[in-house]
Amino acid sequence: MLPERFFHPLALDEFLDEDHGLDEDDDLDEGYGYDLDPEDVRQVIMEALLDPRAQGDKRVLHYARENLQFYDDHEHPAAAEMLTKVIEAHPGERFALGALRASLREDAVRTLEELAELHRELTLLPPERRDLRFYYFAPSVLAEAAQDDERAGDLADEGIELARSLDRAQAADMIISRSPAQRHKGRAAEIFKKHLEGLREYLETTRTGHAEGAPERPSGSTPGA
């Protein structure tokens, strides 16, 4: 069983760092040793994602995506199966993770069918209950499967309009930034530039503040937000 320190909130970053969060003073009964191979890392992340203590945690999508990094290209079927298990354990993540899973299908027709089914289910929900994160991934998956960036841009436009109608400007910007459509490229560049400027201002303020003894950034705040 994974140690309690991995949960509330789900926190695997320490485990995933270069030495997997362990040093000579760590209790190896609560860790997983040094120089783990990808399969070992995958198993630990999956154990955390499927643990009942992870229910409702906002970082499920983040760590499921992290886990994908430990699968090679020839392991797409296994990666898709991993995402299926996570979706079964966390149904509320099915739209975002389902779009990612569709990207792993070796058959473009099946990819498009999965996206279409997810899209139908999503649009049956009231707007305020639709998962905008579907539109973070689905347009690029659609573009690759259909070889049609502009059709993918139409899907992105749908997500952008929904995000704006819900006053979710940051989500709208995320969809624009990830859209493969040429018509979104200019705005995506502006968003990226704005993010870099915000990050630079934050780093300069933090560096100056620390030099003058100012308090650190409050926990939970985001650079450039």
Side-chain angles (χ1 to χ4, degrees), residues 101-156:
R101 182 178 60 185
S103 72
L104 298 170
R105 302 307 186 189
E106 297 178 349
D107 182 351
V109 173
R110 188 176 180 189
T111 295
L112 294 173
E113 288 176 347
E114 281 200 34
L115 284 181
E117 181 58 34
L118 285 167
H119 185 246
R120 281 193 294 269
E121 184 182 352
L122 183 71
T123 54
L124 288 174
L125 296 172
E128 65 275 8
R129 291 183 54 198
R130 296 176 194 169
D131 189 347
L132 289 168
R133 299 172 303 168
F134 171 78
Y135 298 99
Y136 294 176
F137 310 111
S140 59
V141 177
L142 174 60
E144 183 171 350
Q147 294 297 297
D148 190 339
D149 288 353
E150 293 309 301
R151 178 182 168 191
D154 292 340
L155 183 61

Short mmCIF file of all heavy atoms in Angstrom, two decimals, residues 101-156:
data_model
loop_
_atom_site.label_atom_id
_atom_site.label_comp_id
_atom_site.label_asym_id
_atom_site.label_seq_id
_atom_site.Cartn_x
_atom_site.Cartn_y
_atom_site.Cartn_z
N ARG A 101 -6.88 8.76 -24.87
CA ARG A 101 -6.89 7.34 -25.23
C ARG A 101 -7.14 7.16 -26.72
O ARG A 101 -6.53 6.29 -27.37
CB ARG A 101 -7.96 6.61 -24.42
CG ARG A 101 -8.02 5.11 -24.69
CD ARG A 101 -9.05 4.42 -23.83
NE ARG A 101 -10.39 4.95 -24.06
CZ ARG A 101 -11.47 4.60 -23.36
NH1 ARG A 101 -11.34 3.72 -22.36
NH2 ARG A 101 -12.65 5.12 -23.62
N ALA A 102 -8.02 7.98 -27.29
CA ALA A 102 -8.30 7.89 -28.72
C ALA A 102 -7.04 8.12 -29.55
O ALA A 102 -6.86 7.54 -30.62
CB ALA A 102 -9.38 8.89 -29.10
N SER A 103 -6.15 8.98 -29.04
CA SER A 103 -4.91 9.28 -29.77
C SER A 103 -3.98 8.08 -29.84
O SER A 103 -3.05 8.06 -30.65
CB SER A 103 -4.19 10.46 -29.12
OG SER A 103 -3.60 10.07 -27.87
N LEU A 104 -4.22 7.08 -29.00
CA LEU A 104 -3.34 5.92 -28.94
C LEU A 104 -3.81 4.78 -29.83
O LEU A 104 -3.12 3.77 -29.97
CB LEU A 104 -3.24 5.42 -27.50
CG LEU A 104 -2.65 6.41 -26.49
CD1 LEU A 104 -2.83 5.89 -25.07
CD2 LEU A 104 -1.19 6.68 -26.78
N ARG A 105 -4.98 4.93 -30.44
CA ARG A 105 -5.51 3.88 -31.31
C ARG A 105 -4.68 3.81 -32.59
O ARG A 105 -4.32 4.82 -33.17
CB ARG A 105 -6.98 4.13 -31.64
CG ARG A 105 -7.89 4.22 -30.43
CD ARG A 105 -7.77 3.03 -29.52
NE ARG A 105 -8.77 3.07 -28.44
CZ ARG A 105 -8.78 2.25 -27.40
NH1 ARG A 105 -7.84 1.32 -27.29
NH2 ARG A 105 -9.72 2.35 -26.47
N GLU A 106 -4.42 2.61 -33.03
CA GLU A 106 -3.60 2.43 -34.23
C GLU A 106 -4.42 2.58 -35.50
O GLU A 106 -3.87 2.69 -36.59
CB GLU A 106 -2.92 1.06 -34.17
CG GLU A 106 -1.96 0.92 -32.99
CD GLU A 106 -1.32 -0.44 -32.90
OE1 GLU A 106 -1.78 -1.35 -33.62
OE2 GLU A 106 -0.37 -0.59 -32.11
N ASP A 107 -5.73 2.60 -35.37
CA ASP A 107 -6.64 2.72 -36.50
C ASP A 107 -7.29 4.10 -36.45
O ASP A 107 -7.99 4.43 -35.49
CB ASP A 107 -7.70 1.62 -36.42
CG ASP A 107 -8.67 1.64 -37.59
OD1 ASP A 107 -8.63 2.60 -38.39
OD2 ASP A 107 -9.48 0.70 -37.70
N ALA A 108 -7.08 4.92 -37.49
CA ALA A 108 -7.64 6.27 -37.51
C ALA A 108 -9.15 6.25 -37.44
O ALA A 108 -9.77 7.13 -36.82
CB ALA A 108 -7.18 7.01 -38.77
N VAL A 109 -9.78 5.26 -38.07
CA VAL A 109 -11.24 5.17 -38.03
C VAL A 109 -11.72 4.98 -36.60
O VAL A 109 -12.69 5.63 -36.16
CB VAL A 109 -11.74 4.00 -38.92
CG1 VAL A 109 -13.24 3.80 -38.74
CG2 VAL A 109 -11.42 4.28 -40.38
N ARG A 110 -11.05 4.12 -35.86
CA ARG A 110 -11.44 3.90 -34.47
C ARG A 110 -11.21 5.16 -33.64
O ARG A 110 -12.00 5.48 -32.75
CB ARG A 110 -10.66 2.73 -33.88
CG ARG A 110 -11.16 2.31 -32.50
CD ARG A 110 -10.45 1.10 -31.98
NE ARG A 110 -10.93 0.71 -30.67
CZ ARG A 110 -10.37 -0.21 -29.90
NH1 ARG A 110 -9.30 -0.87 -30.33
NH2 ARG A 110 -10.87 -0.49 -28.71
N THR A 111 -10.12 5.86 -33.91
CA THR A 111 -9.86 7.11 -33.21
C THR A 111 -11.01 8.09 -33.42
O THR A 111 -11.52 8.70 -32.47
CB THR A 111 -8.55 7.76 -33.72
OG1 THR A 111 -7.46 6.91 -33.37
CG2 THR A 111 -8.34 9.13 -33.09
N LEU A 112 -11.42 8.25 -34.67
CA LEU A 112 -12.50 9.19 -34.98
C LEU A 112 -13.82 8.75 -34.37
O LEU A 112 -14.61 9.58 -33.90
CB LEU A 112 -12.63 9.34 -36.50
CG LEU A 112 -11.43 9.99 -37.19
CD1 LEU A 112 -11.59 9.92 -38.71
CD2 LEU A 112 -11.26 11.43 -36.74
N GLU A 113 -14.06 7.46 -34.34
CA GLU A 113 -15.30 6.95 -33.73
C GLU A 113 -15.32 7.23 -32.23
O GLU A 113 -16.35 7.63 -31.68
CB GLU A 113 -15.42 5.44 -33.98
CG GLU A 113 -15.76 5.08 -35.42
CD GLU A 113 -15.77 3.59 -35.66
OE1 GLU A 113 -15.28 2.82 -34.80
OE2 GLU A 113 -16.25 3.17 -36.74
N GLU A 114 -14.18 7.02 -31.56
CA GLU A 114 -14.12 7.30 -30.12
C GLU A 114 -14.33 8.77 -29.83
O GLU A 114 -15.07 9.14 -28.91
CB GLU A 114 -12.77 6.84 -29.55
CG GLU A 114 -12.68 5.36 -29.30
CD GLU A 114 -11.58 5.00 -28.32
OE1 GLU A 114 -11.32 5.79 -27.38
OE2 GLU A 114 -10.98 3.92 -28.49
N LEU A 115 -13.69 9.64 -30.62
CA LEU A 115 -13.87 11.07 -30.43
C LEU A 115 -15.32 11.48 -30.65
O LEU A 115 -15.88 12.28 -29.88
CB LEU A 115 -12.97 11.86 -31.37
CG LEU A 115 -11.49 11.95 -31.04
CD1 LEU A 115 -10.77 12.79 -32.09
CD2 LEU A 115 -11.25 12.55 -29.65
N ALA A 116 -15.93 10.92 -31.69
CA ALA A 116 -17.32 11.27 -32.00
C ALA A 116 -18.25 10.85 -30.88
O ALA A 116 -19.17 11.59 -30.50
CB ALA A 116 -17.74 10.62 -33.32
N GLU A 117 -18.02 9.67 -30.31
CA GLU A 117 -18.87 9.21 -29.22
C GLU A 117 -18.70 10.06 -27.97
O GLU A 117 -19.68 10.43 -27.31
CB GLU A 117 -18.54 7.74 -28.90
CG GLU A 117 -19.38 7.14 -27.79
CD GLU A 117 -20.87 7.20 -28.07
OE1 GLU A 117 -21.27 7.10 -29.24
OE2 GLU A 117 -21.65 7.36 -27.09
N LEU A 118 -17.48 10.40 -27.65
CA LEU A 118 -17.23 11.28 -26.51
C LEU A 118 -17.88 12.65 -26.73
O LEU A 118 -18.49 13.22 -25.81
CB LEU A 118 -15.72 11.47 -26.30
CG LEU A 118 -14.96 10.31 -25.68
CD1 LEU A 118 -13.46 10.52 -25.85
CD2 LEU A 118 -15.31 10.15 -24.21
N HIS A 119 -17.76 13.15 -27.94
CA HIS A 119 -18.33 14.46 -28.26
C HIS A 119 -19.86 14.43 -28.14
O HIS A 119 -20.45 15.37 -27.60
CB HIS A 119 -17.92 14.87 -29.67
CG HIS A 119 -18.35 16.24 -30.05
ND1 HIS A 119 -19.27 16.49 -31.05
CD2 HIS A 119 -18.01 17.46 -29.55
CE1 HIS A 119 -19.47 17.78 -31.16
NE2 HIS A 119 -18.72 18.40 -30.27
N ARG A 120 -20.48 13.38 -28.63
CA ARG A 120 -21.94 13.26 -28.51
C ARG A 120 -22.36 13.25 -27.05
O ARG A 120 -23.30 13.94 -26.64
CB ARG A 120 -22.43 11.98 -29.21
CG ARG A 120 -22.54 12.10 -30.71
CD ARG A 120 -23.32 10.93 -31.28
NE ARG A 120 -22.61 9.67 -31.11
CZ ARG A 120 -21.77 9.17 -32.00
NH1 ARG A 120 -21.51 9.84 -33.13
NH2 ARG A 120 -21.17 8.01 -31.79
N GLU A 121 -21.65 12.45 -26.24
CA GLU A 121 -21.99 12.38 -24.82
C GLU A 121 -21.78 13.72 -24.13
O GLU A 121 -22.59 14.15 -23.30
CB GLU A 121 -21.13 11.30 -24.14
CG GLU A 121 -21.49 11.09 -22.68
CD GLU A 121 -20.61 10.05 -21.99
OE1 GLU A 121 -19.81 9.39 -22.68
OE2 GLU A 121 -20.73 9.93 -20.75
N LEU A 122 -20.69 14.40 -24.48
CA LEU A 122 -20.39 15.68 -23.87
C LEU A 122 -21.47 16.72 -24.17
O LEU A 122 -21.92 17.45 -23.28
CB LEU A 122 -19.03 16.18 -24.36
CG LEU A 122 -18.52 17.48 -23.75
CD1 LEU A 122 -18.10 17.28 -22.30
CD2 LEU A 122 -17.34 18.03 -24.56
N THR A 123 -21.88 16.78 -25.42
CA THR A 123 -22.83 17.82 -25.82
C THR A 123 -24.24 17.56 -25.34
O THR A 123 -25.10 18.44 -25.44
CB THR A 123 -22.81 18.00 -27.36
OG1 THR A 123 -23.06 16.73 -27.99
CG2 THR A 123 -21.48 18.55 -27.83
N LEU A 124 -24.50 16.38 -24.83
CA LEU A 124 -25.80 16.10 -24.22
C LEU A 124 -25.91 16.68 -22.81
O LEU A 124 -27.01 16.80 -22.27
CB LEU A 124 -26.06 14.59 -24.18
CG LEU A 124 -26.38 13.91 -25.52
CD1 LEU A 124 -26.46 12.41 -25.36
CD2 LEU A 124 -27.66 14.46 -26.13
N LEU A 125 -24.77 17.03 -22.24
CA LEU A 125 -24.76 17.59 -20.89
C LEU A 125 -25.08 19.08 -20.94
O LEU A 125 -24.82 19.75 -21.95
CB LEU A 125 -23.38 17.39 -20.26
CG LEU A 125 -22.93 15.95 -20.00
CD1 LEU A 125 -21.47 15.94 -19.54
CD2 LEU A 125 -23.82 15.28 -18.97
N PRO A 126 -25.62 19.63 -19.86
CA PRO A 126 -25.78 21.09 -19.79
C PRO A 126 -24.41 21.76 -19.94
O PRO A 126 -23.39 21.20 -19.50
CB PRO A 126 -26.37 21.32 -18.39
CG PRO A 126 -26.93 20.00 -17.97
CD PRO A 126 -26.10 18.95 -18.63
N PRO A 127 -24.34 22.93 -20.55
CA PRO A 127 -23.04 23.58 -20.80
C PRO A 127 -22.16 23.67 -19.57
O PRO A 127 -20.94 23.44 -19.65
CB PRO A 127 -23.45 24.96 -21.31
CG PRO A 127 -24.77 24.73 -21.97
CD PRO A 127 -25.46 23.69 -21.13
N GLU A 128 -22.74 23.99 -18.42
CA GLU A 128 -21.93 24.18 -17.21
C GLU A 128 -21.33 22.88 -16.69
O GLU A 128 -20.44 22.90 -15.85
CB GLU A 128 -22.75 24.86 -16.12
CG GLU A 128 -23.92 24.05 -15.58
CD GLU A 128 -25.19 24.20 -16.40
OE1 GLU A 128 -25.13 24.82 -17.49
OE2 GLU A 128 -26.24 23.71 -15.95
N ARG A 129 -21.82 21.75 -17.19
CA ARG A 129 -21.29 20.46 -16.74
C ARG A 129 -20.35 19.83 -17.76
O ARG A 129 -19.81 18.75 -17.52
CB ARG A 129 -22.45 19.50 -16.45
CG ARG A 129 -23.27 19.87 -15.22
CD ARG A 129 -24.35 18.83 -14.96
NE ARG A 129 -23.78 17.49 -14.86
CZ ARG A 129 -24.49 16.36 -14.99
NH1 ARG A 129 -25.78 16.42 -15.25
NH2 ARG A 129 -23.91 15.18 -14.87
N ARG A 130 -20.13 20.48 -18.87
CA ARG A 130 -19.24 19.92 -19.89
C ARG A 130 -17.79 20.14 -19.50
O ARG A 130 -17.42 21.21 -19.01
CB ARG A 130 -19.53 20.57 -21.25
CG ARG A 130 -20.93 20.25 -21.76
CD ARG A 130 -21.24 20.97 -23.06
NE ARG A 130 -22.68 20.90 -23.34
CZ ARG A 130 -23.29 21.59 -24.27
NH1 ARG A 130 -22.59 22.44 -25.04
NH2 ARG A 130 -24.59 21.47 -24.44
N ASP A 131 -17.00 19.13 -19.72
CA ASP A 131 -15.58 19.17 -19.35
C ASP A 131 -14.79 19.86 -20.46
O ASP A 131 -14.56 19.28 -21.53
CB ASP A 131 -15.06 17.76 -19.11
CG ASP A 131 -13.67 17.73 -18.51
OD1 ASP A 131 -13.00 18.78 -18.50
OD2 ASP A 131 -13.26 16.66 -18.03
N LEU A 132 -14.37 21.09 -20.20
CA LEU A 132 -13.63 21.85 -21.21
C LEU A 132 -12.30 21.21 -21.56
O LEU A 132 -11.74 21.47 -22.63
CB LEU A 132 -13.41 23.28 -20.71
CG LEU A 132 -14.66 24.16 -20.66
CD1 LEU A 132 -14.36 25.45 -19.88
CD2 LEU A 132 -15.14 24.50 -22.06
N ARG A 133 -11.79 20.36 -20.69
CA ARG A 133 -10.49 19.74 -20.95
C ARG A 133 -10.54 18.80 -22.14
O ARG A 133 -9.50 18.49 -22.72
CB ARG A 133 -10.00 19.01 -19.70
CG ARG A 133 -9.78 19.94 -18.50
CD ARG A 133 -9.48 19.15 -17.24
NE ARG A 133 -10.55 18.20 -16.98
CZ ARG A 133 -10.47 17.21 -16.10
NH1 ARG A 133 -9.35 17.05 -15.40
NH2 ARG A 133 -11.48 16.39 -15.92
N PHE A 134 -11.72 18.33 -22.51
CA PHE A 134 -11.87 17.53 -23.73
C PHE A 134 -11.31 18.30 -24.93
O PHE A 134 -10.62 17.75 -25.78
CB PHE A 134 -13.34 17.21 -23.95
CG PHE A 134 -13.66 16.57 -25.28
CD1 PHE A 134 -13.41 15.23 -25.50
CD2 PHE A 134 -14.20 17.34 -26.32
CE1 PHE A 134 -13.69 14.64 -26.74
CE2 PHE A 134 -14.49 16.76 -27.55
CZ PHE A 134 -14.24 15.41 -27.76
N TYR A 135 -11.59 19.60 -24.95
CA TYR A 135 -11.16 20.44 -26.08
C TYR A 135 -9.68 20.81 -26.01
O TYR A 135 -9.15 21.35 -26.97
CB TYR A 135 -12.01 21.72 -26.12
CG TYR A 135 -13.47 21.46 -26.33
CD1 TYR A 135 -14.35 21.47 -25.24
CD2 TYR A 135 -13.98 21.21 -27.59
CE1 TYR A 135 -15.71 21.24 -25.43
CE2 TYR A 135 -15.34 20.97 -27.78
CZ TYR A 135 -16.20 20.99 -26.70
OH TYR A 135 -17.55 20.75 -26.90
N TYR A 136 -9.03 20.51 -24.88
CA TYR A 136 -7.58 20.71 -24.82
C TYR A 136 -6.87 19.71 -25.73
O TYR A 136 -5.80 20.01 -26.27
CB TYR A 136 -7.04 20.52 -23.41
CG TYR A 136 -7.49 21.53 -22.38
CD1 TYR A 136 -7.11 21.37 -21.04
CD2 TYR A 136 -8.27 22.63 -22.70
CE1 TYR A 136 -7.49 22.30 -20.07
CE2 TYR A 136 -8.67 23.54 -21.74
CZ TYR A 136 -8.28 23.36 -20.42
OH TYR A 136 -8.67 24.25 -19.46
N PHE A 137 -7.43 18.50 -25.85
CA PHE A 137 -6.75 17.40 -26.53
C PHE A 137 -7.43 16.97 -27.82
O PHE A 137 -6.76 16.61 -28.79
CB PHE A 137 -6.65 16.19 -25.59
CG PHE A 137 -6.10 16.50 -24.24
CD1 PHE A 137 -6.90 16.45 -23.11
CD2 PHE A 137 -4.77 16.88 -24.10
CE1 PHE A 137 -6.38 16.76 -21.85
CE2 PHE A 137 -4.25 17.19 -22.85
CZ PHE A 137 -5.06 17.13 -21.72
N ALA A 138 -8.76 16.99 -27.84
CA ALA A 138 -9.50 16.42 -28.97
C ALA A 138 -9.17 17.06 -30.31
O ALA A 138 -9.04 16.33 -31.32
CB ALA A 138 -11.00 16.48 -28.69
N PRO A 139 -9.05 18.40 -30.42
CA PRO A 139 -8.76 18.96 -31.75
C PRO A 139 -7.47 18.42 -32.38
O PRO A 139 -7.45 18.10 -33.58
CB PRO A 139 -8.67 20.47 -31.48
CG PRO A 139 -9.59 20.67 -30.31
CD PRO A 139 -9.35 19.47 -29.44
N SER A 140 -6.41 18.33 -31.60
CA SER A 140 -5.15 17.83 -32.18
C SER A 140 -5.25 16.35 -32.53
O SER A 140 -4.67 15.90 -33.53
CB SER A 140 -3.98 18.07 -31.22
OG SER A 140 -4.20 17.42 -29.98
N VAL A 141 -5.99 15.59 -31.73
CA VAL A 141 -6.19 14.16 -32.03
C VAL A 141 -7.00 14.03 -33.32
O VAL A 141 -6.68 13.22 -34.20
CB VAL A 141 -6.90 13.45 -30.87
CG1 VAL A 141 -7.19 11.99 -31.24
CG2 VAL A 141 -6.06 13.52 -29.60
N LEU A 142 -8.03 14.84 -33.44
CA LEU A 142 -8.85 14.84 -34.66
C LEU A 142 -8.03 15.23 -35.88
O LEU A 142 -8.14 14.62 -36.95
CB LEU A 142 -10.03 15.80 -34.48
CG LEU A 142 -10.93 16.04 -35.69
CD1 LEU A 142 -11.57 14.74 -36.16
CD2 LEU A 142 -12.01 17.06 -35.35
N ALA A 143 -7.20 16.26 -35.74
CA ALA A 143 -6.39 16.72 -36.86
C ALA A 143 -5.48 15.62 -37.38
O ALA A 143 -5.34 15.43 -38.59
CB ALA A 143 -5.57 17.93 -36.44
N GLU A 144 -4.86 14.89 -36.46
CA GLU A 144 -3.94 13.83 -36.88
C GLU A 144 -4.68 12.66 -37.52
O GLU A 144 -4.25 12.12 -38.54
CB GLU A 144 -3.13 13.34 -35.68
CG GLU A 144 -2.10 12.30 -36.06
CD GLU A 144 -1.14 11.97 -34.93
OE1 GLU A 144 -1.14 12.68 -33.92
OE2 GLU A 144 -0.38 10.99 -35.08
N ALA A 145 -5.82 12.30 -36.92
CA ALA A 145 -6.56 11.14 -37.44
C ALA A 145 -7.23 11.44 -38.77
O ALA A 145 -7.25 10.59 -39.67
CB ALA A 145 -7.60 10.69 -36.42
N ALA A 146 -7.78 12.65 -38.91
CA ALA A 146 -8.52 13.01 -40.12
C ALA A 146 -7.66 13.73 -41.13
O ALA A 146 -8.11 13.99 -42.26
CB ALA A 146 -9.72 13.88 -39.76
N GLN A 147 -6.42 14.09 -40.74
CA GLN A 147 -5.54 14.87 -41.61
C GLN A 147 -6.25 16.14 -42.08
O GLN A 147 -6.24 16.49 -43.26
CB GLN A 147 -5.10 14.03 -42.81
CG GLN A 147 -4.22 12.84 -42.45
CD GLN A 147 -2.90 13.28 -41.82
OE1 GLN A 147 -2.09 13.95 -42.46
NE2 GLN A 147 -2.67 12.91 -40.57
N ASP A 148 -6.87 16.82 -41.12
CA ASP A 148 -7.66 18.01 -41.45
C ASP A 148 -7.58 19.00 -40.30
O ASP A 148 -8.36 18.94 -39.34
CB ASP A 148 -9.12 17.60 -41.70
CG ASP A 148 -9.96 18.73 -42.29
OD1 ASP A 148 -9.56 19.91 -42.14
OD2 ASP A 148 -11.02 18.44 -42.87
N ASP A 149 -6.63 19.94 -40.37
CA ASP A 149 -6.43 20.90 -39.30
C ASP A 149 -7.62 21.85 -39.15
O ASP A 149 -7.95 22.27 -38.04
CB ASP A 149 -5.16 21.72 -39.56
CG ASP A 149 -3.89 20.93 -39.36
OD1 ASP A 149 -3.99 19.77 -38.88
OD2 ASP A 149 -2.81 21.45 -39.68
N GLU A 150 -8.25 22.19 -40.27
CA GLU A 150 -9.34 23.16 -40.19
C GLU A 150 -10.60 22.53 -39.57
O GLU A 150 -11.31 23.19 -38.82
CB GLU A 150 -9.64 23.73 -41.57
CG GLU A 150 -8.51 24.60 -42.11
CD GLU A 150 -8.08 25.66 -41.10
OE1 GLU A 150 -8.91 26.48 -40.69
OE2 GLU A 150 -6.89 25.66 -40.70
N ARG A 151 -10.85 21.30 -39.87
CA ARG A 151 -11.96 20.60 -39.20
C ARG A 151 -11.68 20.53 -37.70
O ARG A 151 -12.59 20.72 -36.89
CB ARG A 151 -12.12 19.20 -39.79
CG ARG A 151 -13.22 18.36 -39.15
CD ARG A 151 -13.26 16.98 -39.77
NE ARG A 151 -14.09 16.06 -39.02
CZ ARG A 151 -14.12 14.75 -39.23
NH1 ARG A 151 -13.38 14.21 -40.20
NH2 ARG A 151 -14.89 13.95 -38.49
N ALA A 152 -10.44 20.26 -37.34
CA ALA A 152 -10.07 20.25 -35.93
C ALA A 152 -10.25 21.64 -35.32
O ALA A 152 -10.65 21.77 -34.17
CB ALA A 152 -8.63 19.79 -35.78
N GLY A 153 -9.98 22.67 -36.12
CA GLY A 153 -10.17 24.03 -35.64
C GLY A 153 -11.62 24.34 -35.34
O GLY A 153 -11.93 25.10 -34.42
N ASP A 154 -12.54 23.74 -36.11
CA ASP A 154 -13.97 23.92 -35.83
C ASP A 154 -14.31 23.36 -34.45
O ASP A 154 -15.11 23.95 -33.71
CB ASP A 154 -14.81 23.22 -36.90
CG ASP A 154 -14.69 23.89 -38.26
OD1 ASP A 154 -14.28 25.06 -38.32
OD2 ASP A 154 -15.01 23.22 -39.27
N LEU A 155 -13.73 22.20 -34.12
CA LEU A 155 -13.96 21.62 -32.81
C LEU A 155 -13.37 22.51 -31.72
O LEU A 155 -13.99 22.72 -30.66
CB LEU A 155 -13.36 20.21 -32.74
CG LEU A 155 -13.57 19.44 -31.43
CD1 LEU A 155 -15.07 19.23 -31.17
CD2 LEU A 155 -12.85 18.09 -31.48
N ALA A 156 -12.20 23.05 -31.99
CA ALA A 156 -11.59 23.97 -31.03
C ALA A 156 -12.46 25.20 -30.85
O ALA A 156 -12.66 25.69 -29.73
CB ALA A 156 -10.19 24.36 -31.49
#
